[in-house]
């Protein structure tokens, strides 16, 4: 893992300076225990591996008496999931799922699969409502029960050989609506048992054909790409009440627009931060390459544990190019226009692992303590999770107020934190040439401290910006 970005680090080293001498980055991620796949949330969801060749099974579903798919619908599904370079084809198309994840991962994830024939379920919606059925469960069982589908077929979609199909998507033909609360989009789990001979469905996506017709695109996949992120174990970064929009709306796991941000790519093992020992060299000047070209970014915390599961600042040089380009050009439905200018984005991440327990008194999972290691086994009712969340109800931390600590938040270049009142970020949120970030005076960092209580003590000045890189001067103002 730690060698993946070596060629990029070498390219950066020659442009770093501290007191007239070259400063080199030190080792980045070395902790292999504190990783997403070891959390109970990831394990219980049986989330997909986000590296290598992965397969998705896509099943179009028609319920009895509901709208029927036409040829154009089925073509959109096929293209939306699996077409190479869909965004570059004739017409106005968003990125296919395959295209987006190949580009976002810098060629480390390749999604393949197939769209099956339409599954015609012989039950009406009212019947399923009256029987209290979980809607995705009906076509899932109906598909599994078809004797003409071989065991080998299901086995081909169980690449990790755990007895479950790695990822399945059900695309319903019914119009999107709040009718019965079932015609929307989500990712969830079935309560099924493993079967190595005939792998069963577990982790699944549920979405409608209408999602492929949005935003004025010939083929739209914003929602599908977002939900695919959940299949890989990523959480939502938007609040359930849309009140504190901590990340500002500008991320694929936030408001379904633009690329994944650096933190998500760390979680998925696609990228590692560039990291410097500021206790040895408290002030450096660096040329930071555009994130869309390299997946490069900087991590700031002098006491970092060298894992994704810690608290830190991330620094990205954002450009309205690559996977950001379309959303910076065309405003998506009910979403902010992507940043149209280049600039520096600074994030505050609190990804510390919390040991939690299930309370039979409150029927909920409660915080116990932060830990430095996730054990291989533990007692029933104990959970090791990322404690902070952007959704208040899912936050399990030692904060004095439920939900105060956010898993990831944007630090804007503004004197007042307007994100906490539900406003989305804009071009003025970015740090441009001449702008200075000072952790001690930021409205986005309470008293200039980490959530853990220590002083952050970093300043950053943007010296220059061009198409390829931004020159930054970063200083650690704390003790040695």
């Amino acid at each position: 893992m730690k060698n993946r970005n070596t060629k990029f680090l070498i390219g950066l080293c020659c442009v770093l300076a501290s007191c007239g001498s070259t400063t080199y980055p030190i080792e980045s991620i070395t902790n292999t225990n504190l990783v997403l796949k070891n959390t109970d949330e990831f394990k219980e969801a049986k989330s997909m591996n986000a590296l290598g060749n992965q397969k998705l099974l896509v099943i179009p579903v028609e319920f009895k008496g509901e709208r029927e798919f036409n040829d154009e619908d089925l073509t959109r599904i096929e293209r939306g999931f699996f077409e190479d370079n869909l965004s570059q084809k004739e017409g106005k198309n968003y990125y296919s799922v395959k295209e987006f994840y190949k580009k976002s991962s810098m060629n480390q994830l390749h999604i393949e699969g197939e769209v099956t024939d339409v599954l015609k379920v012989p039950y009406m919606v009212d019947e399923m409502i009256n029987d209290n059925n979980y809607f995705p469960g009906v076509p899932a069982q109906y598909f599994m029960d078809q004797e003409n589908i071989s065991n080998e077929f299901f086995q081909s979609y169980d690449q990790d050989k755990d007895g479950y199909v790695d990822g399945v998507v059900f695309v319903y033909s019914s119009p999107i609506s709040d009718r019965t609360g079932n015609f929307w989009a989500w990712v969830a789990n079935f309560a099924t048992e493993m079967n190595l001979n005939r792998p069963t469905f577990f982790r699944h996506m549920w979405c409608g054909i209408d999602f492929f017709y949005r935003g004025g695109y010939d083929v739209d996949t914003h929602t599908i790409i977002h939900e695919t992120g959940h299949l890989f174990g990523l959480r939502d970064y938007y609040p359930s009440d849309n009140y504190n929009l901590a990340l500002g709306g500008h991320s694929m796991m936030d408001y379904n627009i633009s690329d994944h941000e650096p933190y998500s790519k760390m979680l998925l093992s696609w990228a590692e931060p560039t990291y410097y020992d500021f206790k040895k060299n408290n002030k450096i000047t660096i040329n930071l390459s555009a994130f869309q070209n390299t997946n490069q970014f900087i991590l700031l915390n002098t006491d970092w544990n060298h894992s994704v599961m810690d608290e830190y600042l991330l620094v990205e040089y954002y450009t309205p190019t690559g996977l950001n380009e379309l959303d910076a050009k065309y405003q998506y439905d009910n979403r902010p226009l992507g940043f149209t200018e280049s600039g520096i984005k600074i994030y505050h991440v609190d990804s510390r692992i919390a040991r939690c327990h299930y309370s039979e008194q409150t029927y909920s999972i409660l915080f116990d303590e932060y830990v430095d290691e996730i054990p291989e086994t533990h007692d029933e009712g104990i959970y090791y999770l990322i404690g902070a969340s952007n959704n208040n109800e899912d936050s399990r931390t030692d904060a004095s107020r439920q939900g105060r600590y956010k898993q990831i938040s944007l630090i804007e270049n503004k004197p007042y934190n307007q994100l906490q009142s539900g406003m989305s970020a804009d071009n003025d949120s970015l740090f441009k040439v001449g702008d200075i970030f000072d952790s001690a005076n930021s409205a986005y960092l309470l008293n200039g401290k980490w959530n853990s209580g220590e002083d952050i003590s970093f300043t950053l000045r943007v010296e220059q910006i061009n198409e390829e890189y931004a020159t930054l001067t970063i200083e650690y103002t704390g003790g040695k």
Side-chain angles (χ1 to χ4, degrees):
M1 176 189 294
K2 65 185 179 184
N3 293 326
R4 201 160 49 239
N5 290 332
T6 302
K7 64 181 181 181
F8 296 134
L9 297 182
I10 292 173
L12 277 170
C13 289
C14 63
V15 296
L16 304 178
S18 175
C19 301
S21 62
T22 301
T23 302
Y24 294 92
I26 62 177
E27 279 193 305
S28 185
I29 293 179
T30 58
N31 187 318
T32 58
N33 173 266
L34 296 176
V35 294
L36 181 63
K37 69 178 182 180
N38 286 345
T39 63
D40 286 300
E41 187 173 355
F42 185 95
K43 291 178 180 177
E44 291 189 358
K46 304 186 194 324
S47 298
M48 294 180 66
N49 187 346
L51 293 171
N53 298 322
Q54 303 300 326
K55 295 182 70 174
L56 276 179
L57 179 60
V58 182
I59 305 174
V61 175
E62 288 179 4
F63 295 112
K64 185 178 179 181
E66 295 291 303
R67 161 185 161 190
E68 296 183 353
F69 286 110
N70 57 40
D71 290 342
E72 183 181 355
D73 294 334
L74 299 176
T75 297
R76 285 191 185 218
I77 296 173
E78 177 71 40
R79 298 185 72 197
F81 274 99
F82 302 120
E83 183 158 327
D84 291 320
N85 298 317
L86 174 64
S87 66
Q88 300 173 27
K89 299 297 174 64
E90 182 179 356
K92 181 186 175 185
N93 300 295
Y94 201 62
Y95 315 98
S96 71
V97 173
K98 177 180 182 178
E99 174 189 10
F100 182 94
Y101 280 94
K102 179 180 179 181
K103 291 178 177 179
S104 188
S105 69
M106 292 286 175
N107 212 32
Q108 295 178 85
L109 172 61
H110 301 271
I111 296 177
E112 302 170 347
E114 64 184 287
V115 179
T116 70
D117 293 336
V118 176
L119 182 67
K120 295 182 180 293
V121 180
Y123 303 106
M124 300 184 71
V125 170
D126 288 343
E127 292 180 79
M128 293 188 293
I129 295 173
N130 293 335
D131 291 340
N132 293 317
N133 290 125
Y134 174 58
F135 270 47
V138 177
Q141 189 63 58
Y142 194 67
F143 191 90
M144 288 293 307
D145 289 343
Q146 295 189 80
E147 295 181 357
N148 63 320
I149 302 178
S150 69
N151 292 346
E152 289 74 21
F153 175 84
F154 289 101
Q155 290 172 12
S156 71
Y157 282 90
D158 178 20
Q159 296 189 112
D160 58 4
K161 307 303 178 187
D162 66 350
Y164 297 100
V165 170
D166 296 333
V168 60
V169 181
F170 299 98
V171 183
Y172 55 82
S173 63
S174 304
I176 296 170
S177 71
D178 57 5
R179 179 175 56 135
T180 78
N182 288 290
F183 294 120
W184 196 242
W186 65 76
V187 167
N189 307 323
F190 293 125
T192 51
E193 297 294 329
M194 62 170 287
N195 187 328
L196 292 173
N197 186 50
R198 190 176 178 85
T200 57
F201 295 135
F202 188 83
R203 191 69 165 167
H204 60 277
M205 183 195 305
W206 178 252
C207 61
I209 183 61
D210 284 357
F211 286 108
F212 293 82
Y213 285 83
R214 290 182 152 192
Y217 288 93
D218 296 336
V219 180
D220 181 35
T221 55
H222 282 80
T223 297
I224 313 305
I225 291 170
H226 172 95
E227 298 300 334
T228 301
H230 292 317
L231 291 178
F232 292 121
L234 297 179
R235 293 175 175 175
D236 285 318
Y237 296 149
Y238 61 83
S240 57
D241 58 6
N242 289 322
Y243 182 65
N244 188 335
L245 198 59
L247 198 48
H250 293 259
S251 173
M252 183 48 67
M253 299 313 295
D254 192 358
Y255 267 5
N256 300 17
I257 62 170
S258 304
D259 192 10
H260 288 301
E261 77 310 309
Y263 171 60
S264 291
K265 298 192 184 191
M266 288 176 70
L267 285 172
L268 298 177
S269 299
W270 294 345
E272 298 183 3
T274 303
Y275 183 65
Y276 304 95
D277 188 346
F278 279 93
K279 289 185 177 180
K280 287 186 176 179
N281 298 284
N282 70 310
K283 186 175 183 179
I284 66 171
T285 297
I286 175 175
N287 289 351
L288 178 63
S289 297
F291 186 63
Q292 281 301 300
N293 296 338
T294 61
N295 269 0
Q296 289 179 357
F297 55 98
I298 298 170
L299 185 148
L300 301 178
N301 180 346
T302 56
D303 295 313
W304 182 42
N305 67 8
H306 292 271
S307 88
V308 66
M309 304 304 182
D310 201 357
E311 186 179 6
Y312 41 79
L313 303 183
L314 296 179
V315 181
E316 169 198 343
Y317 175 31
Y318 168 92
T319 56
T321 59
L323 292 177
N324 296 324
E325 183 176 0
L326 290 178
D327 289 314
K329 220 180 252 189
Y330 310 109
Q331 185 169 358
Y332 191 56
D333 298 345
N334 302 313
R335 297 292 186 262
L337 181 65
F339 300 122
T340 60
E341 299 174 4
S342 297
I344 299 301
K345 295 178 73 175
I346 303 176
Y347 306 90
H348 176 201
V349 172
D350 189 345
S351 194
R352 291 174 291 169
I353 292 294
R355 180 188 184 275
C356 304
H357 74 276
Y358 179 76
S359 169
E360 294 184 353
Q361 285 72 42
T362 62
Y363 303 104
S364 61
I365 297 175
L366 303 179
F367 172 85
D368 290 328
E369 62 179 345
Y370 294 111
V371 298
D372 297 323
E373 184 178 7
I374 301 174
E376 290 187 16
T377 60
H378 52 76
D379 294 337
E380 185 177 353
I382 300 298
Y383 300 90
Y384 290 84
L385 311 165
I386 297 172
S389 172
N390 283 28
N391 183 8
N392 289 356
E393 294 178 359
D394 297 329
S395 187
R396 300 173 181 92
T397 72
D398 60 350
S400 59
R401 174 173 54 80
Q402 174 76 7
R404 200 190 91 189
Y405 298 164
K406 301 304 179 184
Q407 184 178 357
I408 177 170
S409 55
L410 180 67
I411 299 175
E412 295 186 288
N413 184 23
K414 295 180 179 180
Y416 305 105
N417 187 344
Q418 298 175 319
L419 302 180
Q420 64 186 0
S421 61
M423 293 187 65
S424 57
D426 54 32
N427 285 336
D428 291 337
S429 305
L430 303 174
F431 289 83
K432 312 285 182 54
V433 174
D435 290 333
I436 297 174
F437 160 74
D438 184 348
S439 62
N441 298 316
S442 173
Y444 298 78
L445 299 166
L446 186 62
N447 299 321
K449 296 181 181 294
W450 301 112
N451 292 339
S452 58
E454 298 84 8
D455 290 333
I456 297 174
S457 303
F458 274 101
T459 65
L460 180 152
R461 176 184 170 86
V462 184
E463 306 292 354
Q464 68 161 325
I465 284 176
N466 60 41
E467 292 182 0
E468 299 300 323
Y469 62 84
T471 302
L472 311 175
T473 297
I474 302 174
E475 182 174 4
Y476 174 57
T477 59
K480 293 288 185 179

